[in-house]
Amino acid sequence: MAVRIGKIELVGLTNIYTEDARNLVQQRVPGQSGSVFQDLGREPVTIVMEGLFLGSDTQAELEELRQAQMKATPMSFASDAIAGADLTDVLIADFQVRQLAGHQSRFSFFLRVKEYVEPPVAADAGVAAVDAAVAADAESWARGSVDAAGVLQNPDSLMEAVDGNPALLGHLTPDELGSVVNGTKDSLTGENFGSLLGSLGKVNPAAVGGFIDSLRQSGSLGEFIQKLATEGVSLLEMVKGVDFGAALSLIKGIAGAGDFLTKLKRVAEEASALGTTLGEFDPLGPFKDLEAKP
C-alpha cells in the first residue's frame, strides 16, 4: 500500500487503520429509562500508521515530521489504501519513533494523524478592508470639497490647487469652473488651459462640454484658442489618452482652430518678410553697380 504524507512516502508501512467517531452528548431524562443523545457531528477522522523508516534520507524525513508535529503544520495526505483514501490534508497528533538496535538507519514509528479542515472565514473578515476603503474615499471627497471651496474664493489659486488635487474639479459645476477661469483668464496660459481640460476629462468628462459652453458664452473661448496658437501648444497632444466621450468633437474643434491660427500666423509672418524683401529690392541695382565700375 502506498501512503504519502507531505513529500514523504511511507514505504515501510506495516499497519494502517482509522478511528471514526461521532460527538454525541448524552442527556439523561429524570424518571425515565434510557437517554437522549444530541448529535454534534462527527469527529475528525483519525488515521493510525505503524511501520519502519529505511534508507539514507531517514533522518531528514524524521526531522520534517517532527517539525510538522511541533508547529501543527497541515500536511498533504494521499493513500491508495482503503483507510484514509478520502483525506487530502492532515495534522500530526502523535509521533513516536524507536531506533532498532543493531541498525544505524532503521527506525520503527507510530504515527497518528487527524483530518484537517480549513477554518471557516469569519463573517466580518472583509469588514476592516471595506471600512478602510470607505474612510479613504470619505477623506478624499472631503479634501476635494474643501479645495474646490478654496478655488471659488480665490480663483488665482486654480492651477496650483488642481496640480495638488485634480479631484477638486469633480466638486465644481461646469458654470462654477467657467466662472473661475473667466476670473483669472489674464494669468492663464494656453498650456494652463490644455492642462485644465486634460485634468477635467480624467475626473469628470461629462462636465467638459458644459465648461467649454460656459467659456463660449462669456466670450473667453476665443482668447484661449488664440493663446494656444500664439504659444504653439498642441492641445491634442496634451490631452492624449483622455476619454472625453461626447465632448471629443469639441476638443478636436478647439485644437483645429488653434492649429489653423498657428498656420495663418506663420503665413502672415512669411508674407510680411516677403513684402519687406520686395520693398528693399531695386531692379536697377545691378546696372548701378556696372556704372560705378571704372
Side-chain angles (χ1 to χ4, degrees), residues 193-211:
F193 178 68
S195 176
L196 187 62
L197 279 178
S199 298
L200 183 60
K202 294 177 181 178
V203 174
N204 188 11
V208 172
F211 169 60

Side-chain angles (χ1 to χ4, degrees), residues 131-217:
D131 288 346
V134 170
D137 289 343
E139 182 180 356
S140 176
W141 186 92
R143 181 188 170 198
S145 180
V146 171
D147 289 347
V151 167
L152 290 174
Q153 294 178 359
N154 181 18
D156 291 332
S157 66
L158 174 64
M159 295 311 301
E160 181 179 356
V162 171
D163 290 340
N165 182 20
L168 72 86
L169 295 174
H171 297 266
L172 296 174
T173 66
D175 288 338
E176 288 176 336
L177 182 57
S179 176
V180 170
V181 171
N182 283 326
T184 186
K185 62 183 179 181
D186 292 337
S187 61
L188 291 178
T189 64
E191 186 174 355
N192 291 151
F193 178 68
S195 176
L196 187 62
L197 279 178
S199 298
L200 183 60
K202 294 177 181 178
V203 174
N204 188 11
V208 172
F211 169 60
I212 294 176
D213 189 58
S214 176
L215 294 181
R216 183 172 60 244
Q217 291 180 6

